[in-house]
Amino acid sequence: MFDELSIQFSAVHINMLFLLGLALFGGTIGGRLFQKFKIPQVVGYISIGIILGRTGIHIVSLRTIENLQPFNYFALGLIGFMIGGELKTKIFVKYGKQFLTILLFEGLTAFLIVTALAGVAGMAFFPPNAAWALALLLGAIASATAPAATTDVLWEYKTKGPLTTTILGIVALDDGLALMLFALATSIAGSLTGQSVEGGMLILTPMYEILGAIVIGGVSGFVLSKLLRYYSEEDRVLAFAIGTVLFVLGVSLVLTLDMLLAAMTLGAVVTNAAPRKSQDVFKIVGRVTPPIYVLFFVLVGAKLNVNNMPAYMILLALLYLLGRTGGKMVGAYLGAKFSHAPRPVRLYLPLCLFSQAGVAIGLSILAGQRFAGDVGNTIVLIVTATTFIVQIIGPPFVKLAVQKAGEVGLNITEDDLIATLKVADIMDRAVPTIPEDMPLHQITQTFSEHNNLYFPVVNQDNTLAGIITVDTIKNTLMHSELNQFLVAIDVMETIPATAHPNTPMENVKALLKQYKLEYLPIVTDENTLEGFLEARAIDRLISRKFLELQAEAL
């Protein structure tokens, strides 16, 4: 059925803008539908991509995906930049030894198990030397962990805690280990298959890619952090941040460096060189990333092609999948245990390292080019097929792990907290009021008996009539010679804005800013006074709630 549909679609010219709109709209709908079933939205994005792409109805062709490769680089760069923003120096000082131990255990264990399984099974289908060359290359690729889908789940569920910190640290460092293992595996595989391979270059190349990426990202991050000190306008900050990310990606591409690592380094340097200013930078960049992430993951799904795999390749893919998954789980547990990681890390980190994407696919393509023939083709198809599976099952396991660890919903900003509140949640219901016929001397006495700075004026039906402030009283007492004859209705001020108990606090903050107010009366639909809000009280309450949530995450 899919083949017939693909023929029909291929006969119709579909322009790039239409495809991007379809991918963005379809991906967003898919993500929302999966969210309804308590499944991370990234699975929905990838699933829509699979349906639209090479495995499905071929609306998004391989040529389209190749034409959009610069966009994929940009999306991956933003993901790396945002991950780098979480890598604060104090975290590496505190957890550096733990990260390194876990990284070596989970990466090397996956490498050894996949190599052993693929080597033994491969001898049934390939000559011994070719079988073990294939096994070594698959083992090296198995050590890589994709950060994109994993971190998307962490950001979606706003997680924070030791497990989240460890996940971010591991996925940030995994690229380096995978490149080194791949260099070693390529050298040995070349000897096994009789190819002429310069061992020195194979060791120097990954070192160059890693160190070069760190230098480019570090220098660019230092320059960006200096620039940001002179600008506070959001549009300029966004332009500088996005521009620097693009610059780093472009230089990395020209110099054949690890782009993801360079972008991570950029984010890490910015967050450590300008701790306060960087909070605004990452918040502003985070606002524009959702549609970019949706398109990126739809294209990831569209690129996967697992049609028409022979039986022996399916068997090898299954062994690769089981060996990689088991190796990651066992290695992560042992690494966490030997490094004395907190209990949530030991128990749940093994569920968080399944995802495999860009780096693994990229290394498989390199292997396919360097070892042309059956070995290279087998590696590309196995990695593609297993990526299809782990990109679907990986995010739900990450979600399960952070839920079990109790870290969901702890990484929120004050803006996130405000978005969850309504006026009724924090308004003062016992605010003292002033009748509109109260004499001035009684008003001054009321002020002296309370700490409030603003008093609503009401009539006999408790309907809001106006407001009297401390400044109102001062000005009246200083300039009026008829003070003994004045009542509340004579001195009160009109109220430019009010709110309803069900008004979202986001709207209240906007009203206070729009009218430059320090207070806001809360009234019913009939204008009956229900309560009162003071800006200073709002800030105190929200700060207290925010600190309580931060304390829970520690």
Side-chain angles (χ1 to χ4, degrees), residues 194-401:
Q195 294 188 16
S196 176
V197 181
E198 297 181 14
M201 286 303 297
L202 284 172
I203 298 299
L204 290 175
T205 298
M207 293 295 294
Y208 162 75
E209 292 179 4
I210 294 169
L211 294 177
I214 292 173
V215 170
I216 293 299
V219 172
S220 300
F222 177 78
V223 173
L224 178 59
S225 63
K226 294 296 183 183
L227 277 173
L228 293 174
R229 294 182 180 181
Y230 302 100
Y231 298 96
S232 58
E233 302 91 343
E234 290 192 1
D235 55 343
R236 292 178 185 268
V237 169
L238 179 62
F240 278 126
I242 297 295
T244 308
V245 171
L246 290 171
F247 172 79
V248 167
L249 296 176
V251 173
S252 299
L253 192 61
V254 169
L255 300 179
T256 64
L257 305 175
D258 187 324
M259 288 188 295
L260 184 60
L261 182 58
M264 286 182 184
T265 305
L266 170 65
V269 170
V270 170
T271 196
N272 289 290
R276 293 186 179 179
K277 188 67 177 180
S278 65
Q279 293 179 7
D280 296 331
V281 175
F282 290 107
K283 185 187 297 183
I284 293 167
V285 173
R287 290 175 189 161
V288 303
T289 53
I292 297 172
Y293 291 166
V294 173
L295 280 175
F296 172 74
F297 287 112
V298 170
L299 292 174
V300 166
K303 188 175 183 179
L304 299 176
N305 184 10
V306 294
N307 293 321
N308 304 319
M309 288 182 64
Y312 81 88
M313 206 174 289
I314 293 175
L315 174 62
L316 289 175
L318 182 61
L319 290 175
Y320 173 90
L321 182 64
L322 293 175
R324 179 182 181 274
T325 303
K328 290 279 185 182
M329 293 182 71
V330 172
Y333 176 78
L334 292 176
K337 184 176 181 179
F338 282 115
S339 64
H340 306 291
R343 188 170 181 272
V345 176
R346 295 198 306 271
L347 293 179
Y348 305 118
L349 181 64
L351 300 176
C352 300
L353 303 177
F354 297 159
S355 290
Q356 162 186 290
V359 173
I361 291 175
L363 292 179
S364 74
I365 292 172
L366 285 176
Q369 293 171 345
R370 191 164 291 169
F371 299 91
D374 290 341
V375 170
N377 292 336
T378 300
I379 290 172
V380 172
L381 284 173
I382 287 175
V383 172
T384 300
T386 52
T387 297
F388 172 88
I389 296 171
V390 296
Q391 286 293 80
I392 298 298
I393 68 171
F397 276 103
V398 175
K399 176 190 173 185
L400 175 65

